[in-house]
Amino acid sequence: MNKFANLEINGKNLKIPLIEGSENEIALDISKLRSETGYITIDKGFKNTGSTTSNITYLDGEKGILRHRGYSIEELASKSTFTEVCYLLIYGELPSKEQLDYFENNIRVHTLVHEDFKIILEGYPSKAHPMGILSSLITSLTAFYPESLDPSRSKSLVDLSIVRILGKFPTFAAWSYKKRNGHPIIYPDNGLDYCSNFLKMMFKLPSEDYEINPVITDALNKLLILHADHEQNCSTSTVRIVGSSLSSIYASVSAGINALWGPLHGGANQAVIEMLEQISSDNNDINKYIKKAKDKNDPFRLMGFGHRVYKNFDPRAKIIKVAADNVMNKLGIDDPILDLAKKLEEIALKDQYFIDKKLYPNVDFYSGIIYRAIGFPPEMFTVMFAFGRLPGWIAQWKEMRENKEPLGRPRQIYTGSKSRKYIDLEKR
Ligand code: COA
């Protein structure tokens, strides 16, 4: 294969080296473009721009393939637990039994958070969105572990920060929910596995026992695995770019949480349920909303449809649709919102607009329905996405630091006023 592409600019020929990935993806390496020609490239939304090379996740949007460290998402979702996938993403290999025990025990001893976090939590208004609380609490870990700010972090400090954040994240997530409900927080129960412990902190009431339901724990493991990493998406790119300034892992992950929050990214799962509820209260008039979604003058979009990368189907959506049916059956829940979602999907997939634009249900279309069946309120859905994405953010932050990637700093083409003279206030 030709290892160069030729670019002709102003009569000058430039050889652009090609970089080939392990799955034969090819990139033009333009790192010398500016120094040799004075030109830069523009790619709003980075639709054609690779920000890095990475060993963590492979996805092929045309074929609907998603693999972590070479393992398919289908196999991981059906055979692994979330903590195994965390280990795989962060350390590159599936753990042995001993490695997994060691990893899980290490996480377990870090589930408790400093009591002063309760004071911080108390300061929030009760209606505060849990994503805002979560991102603040995560970045506040830098105050309690200031050694994490030292840019010359040793490997052992990085490993310690990793189990700390994995241990404390579910505690903060559950506490942000308790805060919203005005209920007392529940402390971690380290006799439980990772997901069951989180469920207990979420749903146990002080006056009642909380019984672990394996159907719910399994469903949660699956949902978290399905969200665990997705290469250079908006929040992960944010984590990497914040980390590139040598910020701590806590500050970087906190930035990722904020990037995830918006409805075009992680906030979509909340938006899906809100949209379905709106359609349901509007006489289940699906066609009206399909029409709105197609209308260029109407800002309404079919939430949970479309994806920047997947253009045929989202493999996670396929798994989650089956999981949604399973969970509902096993829990004996008959949710009309699930039926409505299926009908909406069926109608949209036959509609020429959605066919032409290659718009399919994405992972968020059905995840909210399962979360709702488990008992999570909509404002917690995005928190659950963040919880799932946590190992991906950690793995990508770690990889970026280990590869000693440079400070992320894009350029721009300036389109504003040319140089002009300052006008004194009285003359304006
Ligand atoms: N409903 C209706 N039309 C949609 C749509 C949706 N959910 N998603 C995309 N489109 C249309 C756009 O209007 C655009 O039409 P145009 O070419 O006539 O201008 C075209 O499809 C391409 O959309 P665009 O926004 O340019 O694609 P993107 O790759 O930038 O956006 C998403 C991807 C995910 C942001 C987008 O599909 C979306 O907003 N989806 C709903 C939110 C969502 O579910 N997000 C979760 C992602 S996991």
Side-chain angles (χ1 to χ4, degrees):
M1 192 192 72
N2 185 5
K3 299 286 186 215
F4 293 93
N6 290 310
L7 178 70
E8 202 187 300
I9 298 181
N10 290 340
K12 192 181 164 198
N13 196 281
L14 188 69
K15 279 192 178 316
I16 310 261
L18 300 183
I19 295 184
E20 190 169 347
S22 46
E23 294 282 350
N24 309 114
E25 300 158 292
I26 298 172
L28 305 177
D29 176 359
I30 55 146
S31 44
K32 296 215 165 73
L33 181 67
R34 188 171 173 278
S35 60
E36 296 197 2
T37 67
Y39 286 45
I40 61 166
T41 55
I42 278 263
D43 184 20
K44 287 188 186 173
F46 310 120
K47 295 189 180 196
N48 307 283
T49 298
S51 58
T52 190
T53 54
S54 175
N55 294 343
I56 301 170
T57 290
Y58 172 67
L59 81 81
D60 181 328
E62 272 69 40
K63 295 191 186 129
I65 294 173
L66 174 61
R67 292 187 208 125
H68 298 314
R69 305 282 191 186
Y71 298 101
S72 77
I73 191 63
E74 288 81 5
E75 275 205 287
L76 291 172
S78 63
K79 297 179 181 165
S80 254
T81 59
F82 180 56
T83 43
E84 268 183 275
V85 173
C86 289
Y87 188 98
L88 172 70
L89 285 168
I90 296 167
Y91 295 108
E93 296 295 337
L94 284 170
S96 66
K97 175 87 185 70
E98 293 71 41
Q99 285 169 324
L100 185 62
D101 285 348
Y102 182 75
F103 183 58
E104 287 181 339
N105 282 333
N106 259 341
I107 294 173
R108 209 165 269 140
V109 294
H110 290 292
T111 52
L112 203 57
V113 301
H114 196 289
E115 281 292 286
D116 286 351
F117 272 104
K118 282 167 41 187
I119 304 171
I120 302 178
L121 197 65
E122 271 166 26
Y124 285 97
S126 61
K127 288 291 165 255
H129 196 288
M131 283 294 273
I133 297 182
L134 187 63
S135 79
S136 313
L137 296 183
I138 291 290
T139 205
S140 299
L141 285 169
T142 52
F144 292 81
Y145 305 106
E147 67 278 14
S148 65
L149 298 170
D150 177 2
S152 61
R153 336 179 148 90
S154 64
K155 183 183 171 311
S156 58
L157 179 62
V158 169
D159 286 339
L160 178 62
S161 302
I162 288 172
V163 285
R164 263 192 191 134
I165 197 167
L166 283 168
K168 295 179 197 315
F169 192 105
T171 310
F172 288 146
W175 286 12
S176 68
Y177 168 70
K178 291 289 185 196
K179 168 74 197 180
R180 193 166 169 99
N181 275 0
H183 289 170
I185 52 140
I186 303 291
Y187 283 102
D189 177 347
N190 290 338
L192 296 174
D193 64 82
Y194 192 61
C195 286
S196 301
N197 174 41
F198 169 68
L199 288 165
K200 183 171 172 185
M201 286 191 286
M202 273 290 301
F203 296 118
K204 184 181 163 11
L205 297 174
S207 51
E208 292 170 14
D209 285 338
Y210 180 77
E211 210 177 301
I212 300 301
N213 182 338
V215 172
I216 296 181
T217 303
D218 282 358
L220 181 59
N221 267 290
K222 205 183 280 282
L223 282 162
L224 295 178
I225 290 171
L226 289 176
H227 288 86
D229 192 49
H230 217 224
E231 50 118 296
Q232 307 312 315
N233 54 83
C234 172
S235 57
T236 303
S237 302
T238 301
V239 169
R240 284 185 90 122
I241 209 160
V242 171
S244 78
S245 74
L246 302 184
S247 285
S248 77
I249 191 167
Y250 306 126
S252 307
V253 167
S254 172
I257 294 170
N258 288 320
L260 186 78
W261 195 350
L264 294 188
H265 190 11
N269 51 13
Q270 176 176 347
V272 169
I273 291 290
E274 286 164 0
M275 173 190 76
L276 291 171
E277 276 171 348
Q278 192 185 341
I279 299 176
S280 160
S281 67
D282 199 357
N283 296 320
N284 287 317
D285 191 351
I286 294 175
N287 289 323
K288 172 174 165 188
Y289 288 86
I290 297 268
K291 218 168 145 195
K292 273 166 75 63
K294 296 194 295 186
D295 181 355
K296 277 264 146 270
N297 300 317
D298 190 327
F300 177 80
R301 280 189 168 196
L302 220 49
M303 297 317 286
F305 264 74
H307 198 276
R308 171 61 62 78
V309 187
Y310 293 121
K311 297 298 173 196
N312 274 321
F313 67 95
D314 178 342
R316 303 164 303 166
K318 276 196 168 177
I319 303 170
I320 232 164
K321 186 178 177 185
V322 176
D325 266 331
N326 256 336
V327 173
M328 306 301 245
N329 286 339
K330 286 188 183 156
L331 296 180
I333 296 174
D334 183 17
D335 187 348
I337 288 288
L338 177 61
D339 298 330
L340 179 64
K342 284 186 188 165
K343 256 185 227 138
L344 178 63
E345 178 187 355
E346 200 185 312
I347 295 175
L349 289 183
K350 282 189 199 140
D351 190 289
Q352 207 52 46
Y353 173 93
F354 291 88
I355 295 171
D356 289 346
K357 296 192 185 299
K358 297 183 183 247
L359 299 170
Y360 299 85
N362 56 49
V363 68
D364 293 317
F365 194 66
Y366 285 104
S367 63
I369 292 170
I370 308 185
Y371 280 131
R372 185 174 137 110
I374 297 175
F376 289 95
E379 65 276 6
M380 278 300 286
F381 295 174
T382 317
V383 169
M384 297 311 296
F385 191 157
F387 186 7
R389 187 54 51 89
L390 179 62
W393 290 334
I394 295 171
Q396 302 265 356
W397 180 89
K398 182 168 167 283
E399 181 182 68
M400 186 262 318
R401 292 306 339 130
E402 284 169 357
N403 291 348
K404 298 193 170 39
E405 291 190 12
L407 175 72
R409 205 298 191 185
R411 289 197 171 254
Q412 64 163 22
I413 293 292
Y414 175 70
T415 54
S417 305
K418 286 194 175 258
S419 173
R420 45 185 173 161
K421 277 218 169 329
Y422 183 79
I423 306 164
D424 291 333
L425 186 58
E426 56 278 10
K427 292 192 184 144
R428 273 178 248 157

